[in-house]
Amino acid sequence: VYRQQALADGTHWKLGIDAGCLGPCAGGEWTQTQLHQLIGQQSPQGWDSQIRNELGAVLYGEIAPVRWQFGSAVDLAPTLQARFGNVFTDAGVSMMLRAGQLNALPDQPTLHAFVRTEVRAVGYNATLQGGYFSNDNVHTVDPKRLVGELEIGAAWKSTTWNISASVVRRSNEIEALPNQTGRQDFVRLLFSHAL
């Protein structure tokens, strides 16, 4: 559940709360196993060491105080974000550069390429440190306190459909791992339809 306001000058704010669960109740094992079968990959390993079930809630907010435009086809906007809860507690700043047919408001059509960078200070990450309310999780690690991310992709939005595809490189999140070993490279795909 969230509330947001976006203005035509490109500034916006959002405040919300996410609720759910982590551990086996989240369904990650089933989802990953089915995906691996679908694409003909080996069955995933390590699910017997996932963290225990716990209900989760995260209060989050973000604000983009300004957007700089360079003609009608290029813009640059910083965003400040913060999350507080028993799944994530962190704060970050990101910068998004977009080029193409841009939208001024979130519900307007767009077709653009983008580059986003982010730096996040981590206070708590239950996906690494285990459940906040169950300190008997034996399969946990200490998080790095500063994490960076780079995302490059493209987005298309009509009045009802939204498709985004990007490649993400995230820095190492685990304190005990060397940076080369712990960094993550993955593809992010988003499909949505508004009624």
Side-chain angles (χ1 to χ4, degrees), residues 28-38 41 43-44 47:
E29 179 179 10
W30 181 88
T31 304
Q32 188 181 27
T33 301
Q34 297 306 308
L35 178 62
H36 279 227
Q37 287 177 356
L38 180 68
Q41 295 292 311
S43 294
W47 280 106

Side-chain angles (χ1 to χ4, degrees), residues 67-145:
R67 179 181 70 179
W68 298 290
Q69 290 187 268
F70 307 98
S72 62
V74 178
D75 69 9
L76 179 67
T79 304
L80 305 170
Q81 313 103 0
R83 300 184 291 185
F84 177 77
N86 68 317
V87 180
F88 298 109
T89 297
D90 54 29
V93 60
S94 66
M95 189 71 75
M96 171 97 71
L97 175 68
R98 302 186 309 162
Q101 177 192 336
L102 304 179
N103 56 342
L105 296 171
D107 60 346
Q108 294 176 332
T110 183
L111 175 60
H112 64 267
F114 64 89
V115 176
R116 182 186 62 83
T117 61
E118 177 180 307
V119 175
R120 186 173 61 250
V122 177
Y124 185 76
N125 182 341
T127 65
L128 301 175
Q129 294 174 267
Y132 192 81
F133 297 110
S134 56
N135 53 8
D136 59 343
N137 286 307
V138 295
H139 304 289
T140 62
V141 295
D142 291 328
K144 284 228 181 229
R145 296 300 175 189

Side-chain angles (χ1 to χ4, degrees), residues 53-67:
N53 283 331
E54 186 172 307
L55 294 178
V58 178
L59 176 67
Y60 64 90
E62 73 176 45
I63 185 168
V66 65
R67 179 181 70 179

